[in-house]
Amino acid sequence: MPNIRPLPKALQKVACEELNELPERIEQDLKDLREWIQKQPHLRARTEDQFLISFLRGCKHSMEKAKSKIDNYYTLRTKYPDFYTIQNIDDPKMIELFDLGVGVNLPTPLNETGPRLMYIRTGSYSTDKFTFADVMCLANGTQEITIINDDYSVVNGYVQILDMANYTTAHMMQITPTVIKKMSAYAEDATPTRLKAVHFINAPAALDKLFNISKSLMPPKQQQRLHMHGINWQSTLFEHIPQKYLPNELGGENGSLEEIIQHNRKIFQEYRDFLIEGLKYGVDEKLRIGPVPDYDQIFGVDGSFRKLQVD
């Protein structure tokens, strides 16, 4: 029998109907994916059932897509460790950043059994002390835990609430073209969790105008995921996310932000050894059979936009 958590009834229904999951095939699919990993000379990857089922579910049980995502996941982590991994989980700087609550998972999924809600305070850290790469290391470490322990994120995806309060020009200057492409490549090509919607709150008027211009250039599917609520955001945000799921600081009823940060930190500490162990996995490009992914060409250098190919 596969060593995976049984899904609650509502989640299992979604997995079967929307992710093409056939419970009777899981054991064989996990075996096939594990054997493929073991035959890749360049790839050192986790092979636990719970890790592999997350990639299968995130790829709607397409074996080939799951293989590609796992390879990309470890390729990016190996090539750009200072962006995609936490190299020292006990670094006081990283602990301080975590305690600022830059990004936290809220306790209750939307509508009880829906997507995981993530609250991100984009301007909560000092740009004199932290880089955006520091923020992304922390975010990707949290994502690494999510892949293994959060069935709601894996099956139903996640919804982000981006709070732009205290967001400054200095914060914006850290988001270079290369950073944007690194985030996009990881989200689209390397992780099994799926972004379902993004809600911007407390955005200044100038950003609202830029948002509308940028949104008009995106494919319709991506446009539908983005929602700008501006300064007077509560009434429109609550239409999408009822108050019962939000922290008190957002006019919600789901506990204080400090309580939520401490809950997230407890989970983070429980997975300390898991994150440290994760650093031993990766790729050795000298052993890869076939072409080596040229992410330097894809990402380019800061200040230059080159086309990011996303399958």
Side-chain angles (χ1 to χ4, degrees):
M1 290 291 292
N3 186 20
I4 60 175
R5 284 184 302 275
L7 292 176
K9 186 176 179 180
L11 275 188
Q12 187 63 69
K13 186 173 186 290
V14 174
C16 292
E17 294 181 355
E18 299 182 17
L19 306 183
N20 304 317
E21 184 157 302
L22 298 173
E24 65 272 18
R25 278 203 53 85
I26 288 177
E27 185 171 6
Q28 184 62 49
D29 287 347
L30 290 172
K31 180 176 181 291
D32 291 344
L33 185 53
R34 183 179 300 104
E35 289 179 352
W36 175 83
I37 290 171
Q38 293 168 345
K39 291 177 181 178
Q40 307 310 302
H42 70 289
L43 180 60
R44 304 183 310 279
R46 293 187 182 277
T47 57
E48 305 99 305
D49 287 352
Q50 194 66 57
F51 179 80
L52 298 183
I53 193 63
S54 294
F55 278 85
L56 286 170
R57 286 169 173 162
C59 296
K60 297 187 176 181
H61 284 270
S62 165
M63 183 65 68
E64 294 310 308
K65 288 183 179 179
K67 292 175 183 177
S68 177
K69 280 211 171 189
I70 289 174
D71 197 330
N72 290 334
Y73 179 79
Y74 285 111
T75 297
L76 287 169
R77 286 165 58 88
T78 301
K79 187 165 182 60
Y80 306 103
D82 293 335
F83 193 89
Y84 294 117
T85 67
I86 301 175
Q87 291 294 297
N88 179 6
I89 194 171
D90 298 318
D91 184 350
K93 184 179 178 182
M94 192 61 59
I95 294 171
E96 180 181 351
L97 186 60
F98 190 96
D99 287 341
L100 287 173
V102 176
V104 293
N105 289 330
L106 301 186
T108 310
L110 183 62
N111 301 324
E112 311 301 325
T113 61
R116 175 65 62 192
L117 296 169
M118 300 173 61
Y119 177 50
I120 300 171
R121 296 194 293 175
T122 58
S124 62
Y125 68 95
S126 168
T127 55
D128 292 331
K129 189 168 188 178
F130 301 100
T131 68
F132 193 71
D134 295 328
V135 175
M136 289 311 302
C137 282
L138 182 60
N140 291 324
T142 301
Q143 172 84 322
E144 188 176 358
I145 296 171
T146 295
I147 290 171
I148 206 81
N149 88 332
D150 188 355
D151 295 323
Y152 290 97
S153 286
V154 171
V155 174
N156 279 325
Y158 60 96
V159 172
Q160 291 182 337
I161 305 164
L162 267 61
D163 192 341
M164 307 295 288
N166 303 315
Y167 189 74
T168 67
T169 301
H171 290 100
M172 184 173 63
M173 293 298 291
Q174 289 188 343
I175 313 298
T176 65
T178 297
V179 163
I180 292 172
K181 285 183 278 189
K182 282 183 176 180
M183 290 192 296
S184 298
Y186 203 61
E188 293 286 345
D189 292 346
T191 60
T193 54
R194 295 163 294 133
L195 177 63
K196 305 303 285 288
V198 182
H199 296 272
F200 296 85
I201 63 175
N202 288 317
L207 189 62
D208 191 28
K209 294 177 182 178
L210 178 61
F211 172 84
N212 288 327
I213 294 172
S214 301
K215 184 176 178 180
S216 67
L217 302 174
M218 297 177 180
K221 186 175 181 180
Q222 291 187 20
Q223 291 186 32
Q224 294 170 7
R225 294 175 181 170
L226 304 180
H227 307 272
M228 178 68 78
H229 300 281
I231 301 296
N232 301 313
W233 50 267
Q234 286 193 329
S235 60
T236 54
L237 178 66
F238 294 162
E239 293 175 5
H240 297 271
I241 305 174
Q243 291 168 265
K244 65 182 290 187
Y245 301 107
L246 297 169
N248 301 341
E249 288 81 355
L250 296 184
E253 305 164 357
N254 204 7
S256 71
L257 184 57
E258 182 57 33
E259 290 171 338
I260 294 169
I261 291 172
Q262 291 307 314
H263 175 70
N264 275 252
R265 180 157 186 196
K266 180 181 178 183
I267 295 172
F268 201 73
Q269 289 172 329
E270 289 174 354
Y271 280 84
R272 177 182 177 277
D273 292 343
F274 170 82
L275 292 174
I276 293 173
E277 180 194 15
L279 296 175
K280 75 181 185 183
Y281 300 110
V283 299
D284 184 343
E285 296 297 1
K286 295 190 297 296
L287 301 177
R288 185 187 289 270
I289 299 172
V292 175
D294 188 359
Y295 280 106
D296 288 334
Q297 176 67 23
I298 293 172
F299 294 153
V301 295
D302 285 345
S304 68
F305 284 94
R306 294 178 182 171
K307 187 176 181 181
L308 174 61
Q309 298 292 339
V310 178
D311 293 334

